[in-house]
Amino acid sequence: MAPADWYPDPSDPARLRYWDGAAWTGHVAPNPWAQAPRPLQRIGGRVIVPSDALVAGLVPDRCSLHGRRGTPSRAQFLSRTPAWVWVTIVAGLVWPLIISLLIRKTVTVHAWPFCEECRGRRRRMLLLVAASLGSWIPLLALYSMLPTSDDGLRLLLLVLVCVVPPSAAVWFAEQSRLARGVGAQVAEDGRTVSFPARAWPRDPSTTAVGVPHGALGV
């Protein structure tokens, strides 16, 4: 949950509203960093939002995944991790994942609304991270019980111990991010973020690109 501070008002990014650590208050002030957001673009089932507008405070007024009121929290939206990176992890290589994490584009939003269901999913994923790391103990115990003459089985189990628990922990940690459930994806140049259409209700500042009026059904 976000600490008490001034944040862009979810209902009007041109002003700041004070968050007391538990709820929005009635105290507002002009947002000196606000920029007039460029029109959102709806392309098929996606909404394209400029990154600078998100950083300035353009956010939905409720959880975009479940449609419920939520408390604001810091959210990081990331560019896509290539699928081949996960294949290399299964093969026992970790350095491609480290490189991809270092070079991916990140857009940080300081007051994105997340409901309690989103937070419950995060807690469950973190428990699975702990369980994955804890699986080292029984696997190592099993390894120590194998006869020293069975080199092939011992080598196979050693590879499993070194690869499976950390790979599972990394995957569950990625799934535990609150922003993961939003379905956002940062463009390769970092200038825009693509969201599912459900994340943004239709509003006057939205322009439909290449889609007949009313065809989106949102």
Side-chain angles (χ1 to χ4, degrees):
M1 186 177 296
D5 203 346
W6 290 92
Y7 293 101
D9 190 334
S11 62
D12 183 2
R15 66 184 183 184
L16 300 174
R17 183 176 293 272
Y18 192 75
W19 170 260
D20 64 8
W24 291 110
T25 69
H27 302 293
V28 296
N31 185 352
W33 305 285
Q35 302 178 14
R38 289 168 283 176
L40 311 185
Q41 295 182 337
R42 292 181 181 264
I43 305 178
R46 306 287 294 182
V47 175
I48 312 301
V49 186
S51 298
D52 54 1
L54 288 169
V55 174
L58 180 64
V59 298
D61 64 350
R62 62 191 64 220
C63 169
S64 56
L65 184 60
H66 304 104
R68 303 169 184 168
R69 294 286 181 179
T71 52
S73 294
R74 182 174 179 269
Q76 280 193 328
F77 301 125
L78 310 171
S79 57
R80 185 186 300 275
T81 300
W84 61 266
V85 171
W86 301 107
V87 176
T88 60
I89 292 179
V90 175
L93 300 175
V94 180
W95 61 265
L97 175 62
I98 296 175
I99 294 175
S100 69
L101 294 179
L102 291 174
I103 65 175
R104 65 184 175 181
K105 299 295 184 180
T106 302
V107 174
T108 301
V109 181
H110 294 284
W112 190 273
F114 292 105
C115 70
E116 185 55 35
E117 188 170 344
C118 294
R119 299 178 189 279
R121 181 181 182 278
R122 170 176 169 77
R123 290 190 289 268
R124 291 192 296 272
M125 290 297 107
L126 290 176
L127 285 175
L128 290 173
V129 171
S132 299
L133 296 176
S135 66
W136 261 321
I137 298 174
L139 286 173
L140 287 173
L142 180 59
Y143 176 80
S144 65
M145 294 169 57
L146 290 176
T148 56
S149 58
D150 198 343
D151 293 337
L153 186 57
R154 288 175 63 86
L155 179 60
L156 176 60
L157 185 58
L158 183 61
V159 171
L160 291 177
V161 170
C162 294
V163 174
V164 175
S167 298
V170 169
W171 191 84
F172 286 125
E174 174 68 14
Q175 298 297 314
S176 73
R177 291 190 305 107
L178 281 172
R180 175 79 180 184
V182 176
Q185 181 181 334
V186 179
E188 292 301 321
D189 60 6
R191 295 181 179 179
T192 60
V193 184
S194 168
F195 294 88
R198 57 173 165 72
W200 296 88
R202 184 181 295 281
D203 59 68
S205 67
T206 303
T207 58
V209 179
V211 181
H213 179 70
L216 293 174
V218 293

